[in-house]
Structures are given as C-alpha cells and as structure tokens.
Amino acid sequence: LQHFKGWMIETASPVFDPGAATLMDFRVNQEAGTSFVYTLPFSPTRALVEYTVFSPAILPDTRYNQALEQYIKAIPGITGFTVLESEFGVIPMTNSFFPWFSRGMYNIGSAGGRTKPSSGYTFRFIQQQSAAIVQVLKQAALSPASRPADIPARFTFYDDLLLQVLDKKYTGGREIFTDLFSKNQPESIFKFLDNESSPAEELRLISTLPVIPFLRAAAARFLPFIR
C-alpha cells in the first residue's frame, strides 16, 4: 500500500517558495518502509505537506502526525504553524489485473488499471485513458473489443521488478529513487515514469540503478516459469 497523510499549514512567517515544490524528501525515518515527504506551496506562508509510506499496512494515526510535526518544525524559518486542513488516503500498489471494460461500462482510474503499480501515480494516466475512451466511443459501439491500447508490456515488467524489490526488501526505496534522481535529468525520469520513454532511454536510466537488487527480483520473477 501507499498510504499518506497531509496537512495544509499556515506559517507565522513567509518560508515557502510558491514556484518550487519538493517531490520526494527522504530525510525521514525509514523504519516503517519506504517513506518520504512532499511539499506543495501555495503561497509564502501556506503549503500542503504530505507524509507518504510504502508498506503492507497503514500506521496508527499518531505516527503520521508525529512524522509531519517533526518534519515541519525542522524546516528553516518556521517558528510556528497552524493546521488548516488534513487529508488521508491509501493507494494500492499492485500488479493485479483490472479490466478496462466490464458490465457495459469502461472503468477509469484505479478501477481501470491506471494506477502505476510502482509509484501509485494515477492522475495523468486517468487523463490519457479518458481521452482515449472518448475517441473509441466516437468511432465504435461500446464493447470489450473497442477499447484503447493497453500499457506496453515492458513498463508492466519494470513495475513488477520494483514491487518485488520493495516487497522483499532487497534494498530501500530511498536508495533507488536517490540514485534515479541524482544520476539522471528530471525530464528523462518523468518521461520514464509516464510510460513514454523509448527502450534506449530506459536502458540508460536502468543502468544508473543498483544492479544486484533488480537481478534478484528478476530471478524471483522468472524462476517459477523456469521450473
């Protein structure tokens, strides 16, 4: 599961840059699983701060609150803050199959298999999926045969490997994502995470990741078929 709790906070003094967001800050305790915080500023004094964990089960509510409070108080310049709103959510990170079409309806989002298993990211894929469904409906009757193209199989394979690495704890998510972002250009990474990269681009990215954990995951993936 990817589970997260976020606070919309207002600070006593201006500390945020509304033009810059923090995507993944791994400077938080990793004992519960791959954990990070992202910060989305709306003004110099207001921001959404979200604590996110990848693990098999959700945590007691106090754990999220403690992590958020510790992180916020460590931000330079914050002398006090008020929690304006709170949110909590859980996203399944799974390679299970979810059908596009069932009982006369097209499924979108998580129900239609558009949540990326390795990151939990869904929003952009919903937009693409919905646009593709509209085009299908313009051209053909609603049926299982008239569905948009599926995700290329190689991206499903990459997701499978990362899920295996995280689930079996071959290495931590912090190490994987730190290598990914420190050794590659952001444009290349987001293209890869959006399932829009070419095989050559993917090979360059994959070569910057820790080799042994992913080889172990690949072996575990294919060993049952070999047997």
Side-chain angles (χ1 to χ4, degrees), residues 2 47 118 224:
Q2 177 179 161
S118 58

Side-chain angles (χ1 to χ4, degrees), residues 11 25 34 41 52 67 77 79-80 88 98 114 117 126 146 148 196 199-200 211 214 218:
T11 59
D25 191 340
T34 296
T52 303
T79 56
F88 179 80
F98 296 91
R114 294 303 98 172
I126 290 178
S146 61
E196 295 175 352
V211 175
F214 285 93

Side-chain angles (χ1 to χ4, degrees), residues 52-105:
T52 303
V53 182
F54 296 172
S55 71
I58 63 174
L59 306 175
D61 191 54
T62 54
R63 292 278 297 277
Y64 302 99
N65 294 341
Q66 289 170 357
L68 283 167
E69 187 165 0
Q70 289 173 1
Y71 183 87
I72 293 168
K73 287 183 175 178
I75 296 174
I78 289 188
T79 56
F81 67 92
T82 302
V83 178
L84 304 176
E85 300 175 41
S86 178
E87 68 172 10
F88 179 80
V90 182
I91 300 173
M93 300 177 69
T94 176
N95 55 7
S96 297
F97 175 75
F98 296 91
W100 274 89
F101 184 92
S102 61
R103 295 174 295 186
M105 294 182 293

Side-chain angles (χ1 to χ4, degrees), residues 104 188 222:
S188 300
F222 287 112

